[in-house]
Amino acid sequence: MNPVNVNREPVLAPDLAARVSRVGLVLAVLGLGAGFALGAAEGDNLRHFFWAYLVGFAFFFTFTLGGLFFVLVQHVTGAKWSVSVRRMGEFAMNTVPALGIMAIPLLYPLLTNAGREEFGGLLWPWVQPHGEHADLVAMKEPFLNVPFFIGRMVFYLLVWWLMARFFMKRSLQQDTDRDPAYAPTIAMRKLSAPGIIVFALTLSFASFDWLMSTAPEWFSTIFGVYIFAGCVLTIHAWLVISSVFLQKQGYMKKEVNAEHYHDLGKFMTAFTVFWAYIAFSQFMLIWYANLPEETGFFHSRTTEAWKTMSYLLIVTNFFVPFFGFLSRHVKRKPKMLAMWAVYVLIVHWLDLYWLVMPSMSPESNPFGLIEVATTIGAFGLFLWAFARQGVRHSVLAYGDPKLGDCLAHENY
Amino acid sequence: MSNNSSAELHGIIAEYHTVEEILAAAETVREAGYTRWDCHTPMPVHGLDRAMGVRETRLPWVVLIAGLTGGGLGVLMQWWMNAIDYNYRISGKPDWSLPANIPVAFETTVLFAAFAAFFAMWIANGLPRWFNPLSRNARFARATDDRFFVAIQASDPMFDQDATAAMLSSSGAHAVETVEEPDETSRPPAVFRGAVWSLVSLAMLPLFLVAMARYNTSDKPRVHLVPDMDFAKRIKAQAVSDLFADGRGTRPPVAGTFALEDMEAVGADPAYYTGKLGDSFVTDFPLEVTPELMQRGQERFGIYCAVCHGDDGRGKGMVAQRAAVLSPATWVAPTDLHTQPVVDLASGQLFDSISNGVRNMPGYSSQISYQDRWAIVLYTRALQRSQAASAQDIPEGVNLR
């Protein structure tokens, strides 16, 4: 509670950042390369590879969008507690260009003829409606058609890129300009409210497009919120991991303390519950109404090959982390919290895997090296784009006027 | 320092001006070994608990246990209601199915946890209490404004008026004062007590009225709280209505009505679509009898018919039981499907009863497809057979116990 003398010095870690981003690049090349090689070896026209790639892509995308949401919500609420970790959130949101690079290969399954006859498409089965429900899927053609789909994809990425740039630029201006009228701070605050609306809509529709349309005859309006829950969990876990890592390397020792970890932990607890709440809301309405066009999704996931995994997810993604995070002591011990954060990222990935893969292979769980490799690759690409920014920029938003409040922050 | 020896001593308070002072003082008092004392501050002071040596609160455990209890009881309650007390199949779900219980269990979890937190806080803080002697001290009023206080109670085993006061003075207090127990009793004033008692009695009134109404009969019309809902302008199915010349609320379809799409089909296979050939009901079953069809019939019977006729067809379904209690005068009991006249009905006539209803029973043609209606006929036949079985029906080699 003593007023903290704010020492407005940048925290620069260019060598560390360069090293981490190199590791990221190596992981990306090796992971995606190995995934591709394994996929090509399966001789299924890369079908399995592309589905696994989509899971990795979704994993990457939840980091970026989680970062964007984190930054937006700090500005819209005028949050003080988070200033010292916000720059890491900004780094995460500012990985949109790399996400765009990762989206390019996804054009292949949209444009090639391979797999159209048999599966309706290599990846998204609506590319050419086929099979039992072809007529239903065909009716969605005005929305689910290749040119419009690609257009939307470009649109989402463009919007996110513009938003990320806007907030990144203003945040850096706070550091260097020290404008006594706080122009960049106010600009960010103003744009954050409409920004959240744009975020909500684009995230929701991107989730519909990229993930939900892997089961094109199915629909759930809450689906975007479900993905959103994963994004928020992911970014808080990631902030914990990066802060603990930086501190271990000797940076930001004072700037991030037990109080900040405590708050990050609270958000992970809250969003663990939120995830369960949304997941159950989605399930219960469909289960109760029992309408044929809605139940397919859960039917394939709660019978035969996927049954065990579905029930397991309830335990791994809700009960374990919920009781794990419940205690105040866990949230205030950085190393322990970081271990839980890694756990959260792993189970979040399992969740994405469970959302996507049963649509490719309802009869059997195809889990194998190929999923692991592509996901490591996707994560590596994210890590590269994330850490590269640390080479040029301070990892602390040291010019934010609320930094002093942040450092003095205490939980009651 | 006032020192009025006539009144009983409640304790000693010491006043401080800053957060640093109160933190230092709290440490001094703690180190001196006092146990019955407290700090009063105008705003939450970080680190005060530590300085005072306050044990970590056990409230979270209370809340956790209460929450788990609430969740458990929520599930238990619904299990008992759905599977034991009033087991009633709803939209083909099992009598007791967990997913349907989760929202309620979630609410009971929150309810129990919130109440436990609320009342445990009362207990932990010694509430409810009419007033605190400290609030009689003029100086102490600034504890809600800009001053910090340490208050040590006279009941503390370490308490010694002079030594304690000296200790507080040396801890940097700006003022040290004794606080007496008030002369008056600490009972609330009579007006207040009167008001509480009248409120409590008034609150009982509705309960008495409800209890009275339950055990008395009255010839007055009942009270209608929402008249336009109780007397909605509508025509009840099967009820009389003066809107139509024939007085029937339910309008029969115009003679010879068929759904357009069925017209051709009906012409091509009247036995299947109407249960009739010419004017007489068919006696053969128009479909191939398969185990699947039988199962389908059993399932549909369970969904559409069992509510009235009962799972066993004896007319003791849940709706029938309720209706017999609620309106014994007007309710016509569902027919026992095992009576000889029903057993002797032609299959086509059974089909016709399901399609178009019979006397007081409504028709189900709008809900049940043709094939399902035949499946129900088939299952009804099996049900009738099962209830009229004799020893000869038992396959050879099966042991009777």
Side-chain angles (χ1 to χ4, degrees):
Chain A
M1 77 251 100
N2 293 331
V4 174
N5 288 327
V6 185
N7 186 7
R8 291 200 184 273
E9 290 291 330
V11 177
L12 295 170
D15 298 339
L16 181 64
R19 237 179 320 135
V20 174
S21 74
R22 268 199 301 278
V23 171
L25 199 59
V26 170
L27 286 181
V29 171
L30 287 184
L32 293 176
F36 184 78
L38 286 167
E42 285 196 11
D44 58 356
N45 275 329
L46 290 172
R47 181 162 185 260
H48 189 179
F49 167 73
F50 273 111
W51 282 78
Y53 187 85
L54 183 67
V55 177
F57 178 74
F59 192 53
F60 184 160
F61 141 82
T62 49
F63 279 85
T64 310
L65 273 281
L68 183 57
F69 174 75
F70 182 80
V71 172
L72 286 169
V73 89
Q74 306 316 321
H75 288 300
V76 86
T77 56
K80 295 169 180 160
W81 70 272
S82 56
V83 176
S84 61
V85 291
R86 206 190 61 222
R87 182 55 50 82
M88 253 100 67
E90 286 161 359
F91 286 174
M93 90 182 159
N94 210 18
T95 54
V96 180
L99 187 66
I101 296 176
M102 196 169 171
I104 294 173
L106 290 176
L107 296 178
Y108 179 74
L110 287 171
L111 300 174
T112 174
N113 270 325
R116 283 201 182 202
E117 285 303 311
E118 201 180 343
F119 305 110
L122 268 192
L123 180 48
W124 292 288
W126 47 261
V127 171
Q128 179 168 312
H130 78 299
E132 208 184 338
H133 303 297
D135 47 343
L136 286 183
V137 175
M139 275 185 242
K140 304 188 179 185
E141 207 259 351
F143 189 76
L144 288 181
N145 62 70
V146 172
F148 191 25
F149 186 88
I150 296 176
R152 285 198 304 270
M153 200 163 184
V154 173
F155 174 76
Y156 305 137
L157 288 164
L158 199 69
V159 170
W160 297 335
W161 180 65
L162 288 174
M163 292 218 283
R165 252 177 63 102
F166 177 90
F167 284 94
M168 190 71 198
K169 209 171 129 198
R170 298 291 177 304
S171 180
L172 293 172
Q173 269 173 17
Q174 282 186 323
D175 287 357
T176 47
D177 295 2
R178 300 296 160 74
D179 179 352
Y182 302 121
T185 312
I186 290 167
M188 286 194 284
R189 184 175 304 165
K190 280 200 179 140
L191 209 83
S192 55
I196 279 204
I197 298 173
V198 173
F199 164 84
L201 290 174
T202 47
L203 170 68
S204 224
F205 276 88
S207 309
F208 294 162
D209 278 5
W210 299 344
L211 300 176
M212 198 166 91
S213 85
T214 53
E217 68 287 346
W218 180 70
F219 56 91
S220 161
T221 41
I222 208 173
F223 192 83
V225 185
Y226 185 92
I227 299 298
F228 163 74
C231 290
V232 181
L233 267 176
T234 303
I235 190 62
H236 287 95
W238 181 244
L239 292 181
V240 169
I241 294 169
S242 4
S243 305
V244 169
F245 176 75
L246 273 176
Q247 292 190 320
K248 218 168 157 233
Q249 303 293 322
Y251 300 94
M252 303 253 273
K253 286 263 189 212
K254 282 204 294 294
E255 285 81 354
V256 184
N257 58 39
E259 307 299 335
H260 304 111
Y261 285 114
H262 193 171
D263 280 347
L264 289 168
K266 284 189 238 169
F267 275 106
M268 283 198 275
T269 324
F271 275 85
T272 299
V273 180
F274 184 74
W275 174 87
Y277 191 95
I278 297 303
F280 181 70
S281 303
Q282 173 170 287
F283 170 76
M284 195 190 74
L285 292 188
I286 290 173
W287 171 81
Y288 214 106
N290 209 4
L291 303 176
E293 71 263 41
E294 292 180 350
T295 44
F297 181 83
F298 284 110
H299 188 261
S300 55
R301 279 162 182 75
T302 49
T303 47
E304 306 190 6
W306 295 94
K307 191 171 169 176
T308 324
M309 180 165 184
S310 300
Y311 286 114
L312 213 63
L313 272 188
I314 304 174
V315 177
T316 54
N317 289 37
F318 176 63
F319 285 103
V320 171
F322 176 70
F323 286 105
F325 278 131
L326 207 49
S327 163
R328 168 189 181 90
H329 301 291
V330 173
K331 288 179 257 198
R332 294 180 73 90
K333 293 207 178 71
K335 283 211 189 97
M336 199 187 285
L337 193 64
M339 262 151 43
W340 276 109
V342 172
Y343 175 84
V344 162
L345 290 185
I346 294 172
V347 294
H348 163 65
W349 181 81
L350 280 183
D351 182 28
L352 292 173
Y353 175 83
W354 173 85
L355 276 181
V356 172
M357 294 311 276
S359 301
M360 172 188 115
S361 150
E363 274 90 39
S364 65
N365 186 337
F367 184 82
L369 269 182
I370 181 164
E371 279 88 5
V372 178
T374 40
T375 297
I376 290 179
F379 174 74
L381 199 61
F382 165 78
L383 192 65
W384 167 73
F386 173 84
R388 224 168 46 97
Q389 305 171 73
V391 179
R392 281 184 296 137
H393 305 307
S394 160
V395 294
L396 174 72
Y398 62 98
D400 191 295
K402 293 189 291 285
L403 184 61
D405 289 315
C406 169
L407 299 185
H409 168 62
E410 273 191 63
N411 287 289
Y412 288 116
Chain B
M1 272 178 70
S2 73
N3 217 335
N4 181 351
S5 51
S6 69
E8 209 186 320
L9 198 63
H10 172 75
I12 297 185
I13 59 169
E15 181 186 305
Y16 304 89
H17 289 181
T18 65
V19 166
E20 284 74 24
E21 285 174 10
I22 184 100
L23 285 175
E27 259 166 51
T28 315
V29 179
R30 186 193 77 211
E31 273 157 23
Y34 288 90
T35 48
R36 313 204 60 165
W37 63 290
D38 209 348
C39 293
H40 302 267
T41 60
M43 78 281 192
V45 171
H46 288 301
L48 191 60
D49 283 4
R50 220 173 306 127
M52 290 175 65
V54 175
R55 257 187 307 124
E56 200 184 327
T57 171
R58 274 171 306 196
L59 193 64
W61 288 103
V62 175
V63 175
L64 178 66
I65 290 165
L68 293 175
T69 311
L73 283 180
V75 173
L76 205 65
M77 173 184 82
Q78 293 173 86
W79 164 76
W80 182 76
M81 288 171 170
N82 297 346
I84 307 289
D85 185 41
Y86 195 75
N87 65 330
Y88 184 33
R89 211 171 304 141
I90 298 165
S91 60
K93 305 283 192 283
D95 284 353
W96 181 56
S97 56
L98 206 51
N101 293 359
I102 289 180
V104 173
F106 174 75
E107 300 299 340
T108 51
T109 307
V110 174
L111 185 79
F112 274 56
F115 273 139
F118 184 67
F119 288 112
M121 279 302 274
W122 275 38
I123 294 171
N125 291 301
L127 293 173
R129 187 200 297 199
W130 180 240
F131 82 103
N132 189 327
L134 293 180
S135 57
R136 293 290 170 93
N137 183 295
R139 189 178 285 280
F140 188 76
R142 286 180 76 174
T144 58
D145 192 356
D146 59 351
R147 289 290 188 268
F148 302 80
F149 290 88
V150 167
I152 302 181
Q153 291 181 21
S155 55
D156 192 302
M158 294 268 303
F159 189 83
D160 172 287
Q161 192 168 349
D162 298 323
T164 302
M167 187 262 315
L168 286 173
S169 302
S170 69
S171 74
H174 294 265
V176 176
E177 277 183 17
T178 54
V179 177
E180 276 87 39
E181 291 289 357
D183 298 335
E184 328 93 90
T185 65
S186 58
R187 293 186 67 178
V191 186
F192 184 81
R193 272 179 289 147
V196 167
W197 280 118
S198 354
L199 276 179
V200 169
S201 333
L202 277 177
M204 301 306 246
L205 213 60
L207 291 180
F208 280 123
L209 290 177
V210 169
M212 250 171 64
R214 264 197 85 91
Y215 292 103
N216 283 310
T217 47
S218 155
D219 46 16
K220 292 209 193 75
R222 62 197 271 196
V223 182
H224 288 281
L225 296 176
V226 193
D228 55 349
M229 209 160 106
D230 289 353
F231 306 108
K233 287 209 190 320
R234 70 196 188 286
I235 297 168
K236 280 191 170 176
Q238 315 289 334
V240 177
S241 161
D242 47 18
L243 190 66
F244 301 102
D246 63 359
R248 294 166 68 169
T250 308
R251 303 312 299 158
V254 177
T257 307
F258 274 115
L260 258 181
E261 61 209 277
D262 295 343
M263 233 151 73
E264 260 172 62
V266 173
D269 189 356
Y272 178 72
Y273 287 100
T274 63
K276 285 185 202 169
L277 274 177
D279 274 344
S280 53
F281 291 112
V282 296
T283 47
D284 318 330
F285 193 72
L287 291 173
E288 193 194 338
V289 177
T290 61
E292 289 77 35
L293 193 67
M294 184 66 86
Q295 250 169 17
R296 178 79 184 166
Q298 180 175 27
E299 186 199 59
R300 297 291 111 176
F301 185 91
I303 293 172
Y304 291 109
C305 318
V307 285
C308 289
H309 287 281
D311 280 323
D312 59 1
R314 295 226 175 259
K316 292 278 183 311
M318 198 57 89
V319 168
Q321 290 182 39
R322 284 288 285 167
V325 174
L326 292 180
S327 44
T330 51
W331 172 251
V332 176
T335 309
D336 177 349
L337 300 181
H338 304 294
T339 51
Q340 206 51 46
V342 181
V343 174
D344 292 342
L345 288 179
S347 296
Q349 190 167 356
L350 258 178
F351 179 87
D352 182 69
S353 300
I354 300 174
S355 307
N356 305 318
V358 50
R359 295 183 303 277
N360 285 302
M361 173 180 144
Y364 286 89
S365 51
S366 60
Q367 286 104 309
I368 312 178
S369 70
Y370 294 104
Q371 177 161 351
D372 281 351
R373 276 178 250 161
W374 282 114
I376 293 175
V377 170
L378 179 63
Y379 176 70
T380 310
R381 287 301 183 215
L383 196 62
Q384 289 168 334
R385 184 81 205 286
S386 75
Q387 298 291 307
S390 65
Q392 280 91 55
D393 293 328
I394 298 163
E396 234 158 283
V398 173
N399 281 330
L400 281 180
R401 260 190 287 169

